[in-house]
Amino acid sequence: NYTALAMSLPHVGADGRHQVGGGEAQPDGVIGLIGPGTGLGVSGLVPGGDRWVTLATEGGHVSFAPTDERELRVLQFAWKTMPRVSAERLLSGPGLELIHQALGGAAPLSAAQIVQRALDGDDPACGQTLDCFCGMLGTMASDLALTLGATFATAGCNAREPGKQTVSTQPAAGQPANPRVLIETSKGNI
């Protein structure tokens, strides 16, 4: 439940955060939270005086919007079996598997196998799959930050250390966001 996870974010110390991009962190700014798993969890925190107000959302169900031809190919592949493709359909464990199929992965693989082969550098198709997934997640994260006007935080499970949570901050308000840079810094954390 990402609402419960969001409630813990104000208590994450500096050693649990990694600044991405320029600008100065805003410690009392709005926080957005997004993370893939069996679905796509999305939540947020808004400062309210001496406490934080959580945003319970179904943000993973927003429509997926491709940003390049490769992502458009993935969307067109998904449309063959789904009349509506939400972000969660692609930005999740099952979505990673679907992206792999859409990009021509030779054999069906589990999400864990795709990630491991991509990180090991053993399978170019898995590397392309993870790169596409990271680009899509970065775009979704950037859109969430823009929607909330947020200092952005993302949490995901570490591919090398299952269950370990990581947190990264997005550039401060007014600073340019580069979603691919955000994800590249935590590629092993998807």
Side-chain angles (χ1 to χ4, degrees):
N1 181 317
Y2 268 75
T3 301
L5 184 57
M7 291 170 59
S8 71
L9 290 177
H11 307 288
V12 174
D15 62 332
R17 297 185 216 152
H18 175 74
Q19 174 103 12
V20 177
E24 196 170 312
Q26 299 174 354
D28 294 327
V30 175
I31 300 172
L33 175 67
I34 186 170
T38 55
L40 181 64
V42 179
S43 188
L45 284 172
V46 179
D50 62 345
R51 63 187 192 98
W52 292 87
V53 178
T54 57
L55 303 175
T57 79
E58 291 295 330
H61 296 285
V62 300
S63 295
F64 171 72
T67 62
D68 61 28
E69 289 184 29
R70 179 174 65 178
E71 292 178 7
L72 180 59
R73 284 195 319 268
V74 171
L75 179 60
Q76 290 170 330
F77 180 86
W79 274 335
K80 292 177 183 178
T81 58
M82 301 171 209
R84 179 179 181 277
V85 180
S86 67
E88 179 173 81
R89 294 289 194 151
L90 301 173
L91 296 174
S92 60
L96 186 64
E97 295 166 7
L98 188 147
I99 293 168
H100 187 254
Q101 291 173 347
L103 297 179
L109 298 173
S110 70
Q113 290 172 314
I114 294 166
V115 170
Q116 191 59 57
R117 289 181 182 195
L119 293 175
D120 290 344
D122 295 339
D123 187 328
C126 289
Q128 284 293 316
T129 299
L130 189 57
D131 182 66
C132 185
F133 181 90
C134 288
M136 291 174 174
L137 182 58
T139 298
M140 182 71 182
S142 181
D143 286 350
L144 177 62
L146 289 171
T147 299
L148 296 177
T151 297
F152 184 74
T154 182
C157 60
N158 189 305
R160 292 190 178 110
E161 298 176 64
K164 179 180 176 186
Q165 294 299 312
T166 59
V167 178
S168 300
T169 57
Q170 180 71 358
Q175 297 296 314
N178 183 336
R180 298 210 186 257
V181 171
L182 170 68
I183 298 306
E184 287 297 324
T185 63
S186 58
K187 191 178 244 184
N189 300 327
I190 301 301

